[in-house]
Amino acid sequence: MIRINTVPSKLSYQIQFQENIATVSGTHELTGGPNIIIERLPQATLRKVTAVMQFPTVAQEKIFMNGYQTWTYCPELGRQDYTRRMGHFPKPLLDHYKLEQYGDYHFVDYPEQPGISHGESYCYFRQGKRFRLLASLDEHPGYTLFRYDSKTGTLRIERDCEGLTCCGAFHAFDLFYAEGTEDEVFDAWFAAMGIRPRTGEHIAGYSSWYNRYEDITQETIREDLQACIGKLQPGDVFQIDDGWEPFVGDWLEADPVRFPDGMKQAAQEIHDAGFRAGLWLAPFVATKESEVYRLHPDWLLKVDGKPWSCGCNWGGFYSLDLDHPGVQDYLRRVFDRVLNEWDYDLVKLDFLYGVAPFGNERESRAGRMIRGMEFLRELCGDKLILGCGVPLMPAFGLVDYCRVSCDVSLDWDDTLLKRHIHRERVSTRQAIGNSIFRRQLNGRAFLSDPDVFFLRDENLKLSEAQKKKLYTVNALFGGVLFHSDNMSHYRPDQDALYRQIRHLRDATDVRVEADCGLTVRYRLDGQEHALLIE
Ligand code: 9PG
């Protein structure tokens, strides 16, 4: 099934050490299927592990470079395009908002020159319907960073493992290469990894975030829950998002003012309404106000002796140290309470990238991220995990559902000024783009969460045409179909449209045309449909 049509390409690789030891180098002929490059190394500290190869592309070829984490915008690029960083902010502003901590900016270089693009864990090159996929089979030894320069036709591959100590057999690269149709290359990659999605069950329901945001109370939750009865289906998910906890980091009790009856009672009411209950947590981070931060300074991950800030949400938040027994014990108690005592069926686990901003001499950054994900899976048993704010490949096969896009906004693409902040920014337009351009992960790595759609009229600045683009893409390319509306405000035509959107998931023959504009085509009830996205 794996065909190689192009002339096989030779990859030259180099392994450099921090000590004064001779560089190890070699060549490898890239073939279809797994390409595992193992070198026996002396006891030393790795500095750089890189490979280069010629990888010519033609004028119309499209390039996809997977973005670092859930929210990172990563559309297909043309050969003149480049991976955009963010606007050139004055350093104090950058430092204040910690924008570089949301993505790979703090460890990957962005030359921002026409034709230069980069991404993590997988990339593809597409001519019409023909894909050339180059992907990682294992990120434990370090993220696989791909960087393409279309001006010279060179592909550079780097293993993100600086500072890792090695001794003996080291997997310099665990690559997979395939050429063929979209389904052929992605099916072959997941077969080679032996990764299957944990569930095939598409879910639908409600998330409290995208209307009231953190201003939720048990009354607003009750109001929205009542509104869902008779409109959602039994077994759908009703998910309480950020705002229930006293402070980010403190997950053992609800905020006593907003949820005086507690979170067990909230889950009970959701169950009584016939739905499954979901709860949002950000288990690997904490804000300065939290008890976790104030009472356990030793639980924080320190970089150069200082707590590592992961961004500016909630006025700043910090990484917990996965290796600290106190953190592990605390998280065990948290998940036992949420899943067993309170009886939630699904947890939306967010800002997960915070667990592994760095590796150390024993473990790469990616290795730490994977270990964090495995730990969460262990704590959650067979309960459902919706991963969010997580580097994609470390979540493969470990979460049931995973966000593949940034947050949708209440308008289309934010203000001109805000368009220059980080690639992880909130944007409906970019969320739609990621749901389309990461569609191959849906049903292979997990079921994808494209984020919510909107049907409501109030508190929203999307046109009807924009709402249609969002719900169509979410229904066709995702396995999670949530909204954040108060459904009692729906008019009869909106009720009917909601039912129609759920029926959209029965579409077959879903296709994307991205060579000239962006169009989505599908068949439903024997009829052909097309929707122009851009
Ligand atoms: C709760 C929210 C919702 C939402 C999540 C996440 O890059 N950023 O600045 C950025 C901020 C917030 C954010 C995502 C990215 O939202 O995706 O669904 O749960 O947290 O606080």
Side-chain angles (χ1 to χ4, degrees), residues 72-92:
T72 313
Y73 182 47
C74 50
E76 275 187 359
L77 301 174
R79 288 178 78 229
Q80 307 311 316
D81 298 332
Y82 60 90
T83 305
R84 285 169 195 277
R85 195 181 130 83
M86 56 181 101
H88 294 280
F89 295 104
K91 182 107 172 77

Side-chain angles (χ1 to χ4, degrees), residues 141-387:
Y143 288 114
T144 307
L145 304 172
F146 296 99
R147 186 181 296 269
Y148 188 63
D149 183 345
S150 68
K151 284 198 298 299
T152 55
T154 44
L155 184 66
R156 189 184 149 88
I157 312 170
E158 190 171 330
R159 182 73 97 173
D160 169 45
C161 58
E162 191 173 343
L164 193 70
T165 49
C166 53
C167 182
F170 179 73
H171 283 237
F173 294 102
D174 293 272
L175 298 172
F176 178 82
Y177 181 67
E179 294 181 11
T181 64
E182 182 175 351
D183 282 339
E184 281 172 351
V185 300
F186 280 94
D187 283 346
W189 177 33
F190 279 84
M193 286 189 289
I195 286 180
R196 289 160 48 81
R198 289 181 52 84
T199 177
E201 194 206 349
H202 288 226
I203 52 173
Y206 162 95
S207 161
S208 63
W209 186 246
Y210 300 89
N211 195 8
R212 307 179 192 262
Y213 294 91
E214 64 269 45
D215 290 327
I216 50 169
T217 63
Q218 60 185 32
E219 282 73 36
T220 72
I221 289 296
R222 272 187 195 131
E223 185 186 329
D224 285 0
L225 176 64
Q226 288 307 312
C228 288
I229 297 174
K231 303 211 177 189
L232 289 185
Q233 293 173 9
D236 279 355
V237 176
F238 185 94
Q239 181 248 317
I240 301 174
D241 213 281
D242 187 6
W244 66 271
E245 74 284 359
F247 295 104
V248 165
D250 296 342
W251 314 107
L252 287 168
E253 302 293 346
D255 180 318
V257 177
R258 291 160 181 255
F259 286 83
D261 296 340
M263 300 319 285
K264 185 180 168 73
Q265 173 66 20
Q268 182 65 50
E269 290 176 25
I270 296 168
H271 288 151
D272 289 346
F275 306 129
R276 281 182 282 178
L279 192 65
W280 177 94
L281 298 90
F284 290 144
V285 298
T287 60
K288 280 193 169 151
E289 298 78 23
S290 66
E291 274 198 9
V292 157
Y293 188 103
R294 288 185 292 110
L295 303 184
H296 305 283
D298 53 321
W299 289 8
L300 300 166
L301 183 74
K302 313 282 189 320
V303 177
D304 297 331
K306 284 201 295 249
W308 175 259
S309 169
C310 316
C312 58
N313 301 58
W314 318 288
F317 60 106
Y318 299 84
S319 295
L320 298 183
D321 182 356
L322 180 64
D323 289 324
H324 198 294
V327 171
Q328 296 175 3
D329 177 61
Y330 170 64
L331 290 179
R332 267 183 218 289
R333 284 189 291 131
V334 165
F335 283 96
D336 182 51
R337 179 153 303 175
V338 169
L339 299 171
N340 301 326
E341 271 182 55
W342 295 349
D343 204 18
Y344 282 85
D345 306 285
L346 173 148
V347 276
K348 174 175 171 185
L349 304 182
D350 206 352
F351 293 87
L352 300 180
Y353 68 92
V355 80
F358 294 96
N360 56 31
E361 62 285 355
R362 281 164 285 117
E363 181 177 51
S364 72
R365 188 182 340 253
R368 188 177 188 83
M369 190 67 234
I370 297 167
R371 190 159 57 88
M373 297 308 294
E374 287 169 343
F375 182 57
L376 293 178
R377 174 42 73 195
E378 182 200 322
L379 299 192
C380 293
D382 284 332
K383 296 273 186 159
L384 298 173
I385 299 179
L386 165 51

Side-chain angles (χ1 to χ4, degrees), residues 461-477:
K461 286 193 216 137
L462 291 176
S463 69
E464 294 308 311
Q466 291 167 339
K467 288 182 193 171
K468 180 175 181 177
K469 290 176 186 180
L470 181 61
Y471 69 65
T472 306
V473 165
N474 290 9
L476 296 179
F477 300 103

Side-chain angles (χ1 to χ4, degrees), residues 78-151:
R79 288 178 78 229
Q80 307 311 316
D81 298 332
Y82 60 90
T83 305
R84 285 169 195 277
R85 195 181 130 83
M86 56 181 101
H88 294 280
F89 295 104
K91 182 107 172 77
L93 208 70
L94 257 191
D95 290 348
H96 179 72
Y97 289 107
K98 305 283 181 217
L99 294 181
E100 291 174 313
Q101 273 80 322
Y102 287 92
D104 62 7
Y105 317 97
H106 65 96
F107 63 94
V108 180
D109 170 44
Y110 281 67
E112 292 201 291
Q113 286 165 26
I116 301 186
S117 53
H118 85 258
E120 280 82 8
S121 307
Y122 75 103
C123 62
Y124 69 73
F125 301 81
R126 182 181 65 78
Q127 274 180 72
K129 293 189 162 84
R130 178 172 162 270
F131 283 69
R132 292 188 285 169
L133 173 73
L134 192 57
S136 166
L137 290 171
D138 183 17
E139 297 288 67
H140 278 99
Y143 288 114
T144 307
L145 304 172
F146 296 99
R147 186 181 296 269
Y148 188 63
D149 183 345
S150 68
K151 284 198 298 299

